[in-house]
Amino acid sequence: MPQYQIVGNDLQAVVCNLNPGEKVIAEAGHLLSMSDGIDLNTSTGGGFMAGLKRAFGGSSFFVNELEARVAGQCTFASPSTGHVQEIDVSQSRGWLCQPGVFLCADDGIQISAAFTQKFGAGLFGGSGFILQSLVGQGKAFIHVGGASIKYVLKDGESIRIETGALAAFESTVTYDIQMVRGLKSILFSGEGLWFAHLKGPGIVYIQSLALARLAHALIPYLPAPEAGGSLGGIATGTVLGGLLGSVLNNND
C-alpha cells in the first residue's frame, strides 16, 4: 500500500511514496513531479465507456496511473488554492464529489459519474445532474478550495450548505436542494435562491472558497469586457483571463 503525506499549509500537495510494484491513480493535470523509477501510463481506466462516464462527471476522460519499478515518490496538487483532505473509501461507503475536487487515490479506487437522485438537486445544485463518484477500497485525496470544514452528521441530522461551498460527502448522506424561504431573504440576503440540504449519517466536507465563487467575486472589480477578445478588460490569452473564462464557462 502506498504511503502518503500531505505537505504545505495553505497551498497543499500530496506526496506519494511507492514501493516497487505499487500504483497510484490520479486526475489528469495534477501531477507535479515523479522519480525516475516511476512509469506514467495514461488510459481510459476501463475502456471508452468508463472514460465517458468520468467526463460526464466533470472529471477528465483519461486517468493517469503511476507505477513504481523501484522505490520512489510522486507529488500531486490542484492548480487552485486550498487544502487537501484524506478520505477513506470502502465497499459500504463511497464518496460523491463536486467536479474538479478529486486529486489522487489508491489503485483500488474507481472514478465514475453519479447522477443526482432528485431533479431539483441536479437542476439547482451548482454542478448539474452529475457528480464524481469514488467507489472501491482504499485511500483517496480531494482538494477543497480555501479552508476545509468537516461535518460528521449523525443519523437523521441535517445541514444546509451554499451549493458552491459543498465539496464532498459520503454516499450514505442524502443530498437534496431547498429554496430560501421568505421574500426579503430571497431578494436581499445575497445568498442566492438555493441551499444544498444534506442529511446524515455520514461525513461532509465544505470549502470556504470554491474557484467558481472566487472568479465571480472578482468580476465587479474588473473593467468591462471589450469586443476585442478580453474578459473584464483582461486579454483572454493571459493566465488570469483564461482562468476566469474557463471557470465562468463551466458554471453558466
Side-chain angles (χ1 to χ4, degrees):
M1 183 73 68
Q3 299 297 310
Y4 301 94
Q5 180 184 5
I6 298 174
V7 297
N9 295 316
D10 294 322
L11 303 172
Q12 293 185 316
V14 181
V15 178
C16 306
N17 294 289
L18 302 176
N19 291 317
E22 290 183 336
K23 301 177 183 179
V24 62
I25 61 170
E27 185 77 47
H30 292 322
L31 177 64
L32 294 182
S33 65
M34 61 180 178
S35 302
D36 287 339
I38 295 179
D39 294 326
L40 171 63
N41 299 301
T42 301
S43 70
T44 58
F48 176 81
M49 291 305 299
L52 192 62
K53 287 181 66 176
R54 281 193 305 274
F56 274 123
S59 182
S60 60
F61 183 84
F62 294 99
V63 171
N64 287 333
E65 179 184 271
L66 294 95
E67 181 176 5
R69 287 182 283 105
V70 297
Q73 286 186 341
C74 51
T75 308
F76 304 93
S78 171
S80 60
T81 61
H83 290 78
V84 175
Q85 292 290 344
E86 176 184 321
I87 59 176
D88 291 315
V89 181
S90 66
Q91 298 294 339
S92 60
R93 291 202 175 195
W95 282 79
L96 296 171
C97 308
Q98 291 274 24
V101 167
F102 171 71
L103 274 182
C104 61
D106 286 336
D107 186 42
I109 305 296
Q110 292 84 47
I111 314 161
S112 62
F115 288 85
T116 53
Q117 296 179 350
K118 298 186 178 181
F119 179 79
L123 189 61
F124 304 110
S127 59
F129 288 94
I130 307 174
L131 298 169
Q132 285 181 315
S133 172
L134 305 179
V135 297
Q137 186 75 39
K139 293 185 180 296
F141 294 84
I142 59 173
H143 181 271
V144 179
S148 171
I149 304 172
K150 178 181 180 181
Y151 289 96
V152 181
L153 300 180
K154 299 177 182 178
D155 190 10
E157 184 180 7
S158 63
I159 186 173
R160 286 177 291 177
I161 300 170
E162 195 274 325
T163 55
L166 179 60
F169 54 95
E170 286 186 302
S171 59
T172 53
V173 175
T174 302
Y175 173 55
D176 198 3
I177 292 295
Q178 289 185 351
M179 189 175 185
V180 174
R181 296 180 180 178
L183 182 60
K184 287 192 295 184
S185 296
I186 292 174
L187 295 177
F188 305 114
S189 69
E191 300 299 335
L193 294 178
W194 309 95
F195 281 98
H197 180 252
L198 295 103
K199 186 175 181 180
I203 298 172
V204 176
Y205 282 107
I206 70 173
Q207 50 192 355
S208 67
L209 190 60
L211 184 57
R213 189 174 184 180
L214 174 61
H216 280 285
L218 290 174
I219 294 301
Y221 303 99
L222 299 176
E226 299 176 359
S230 65
L231 179 68
I234 299 177
T236 55
T238 65
V239 174
L240 181 57
L243 173 63
L244 290 174
S246 174
V247 171
L248 293 176
N249 288 335
N250 290 334
N251 286 274
D252 284 342

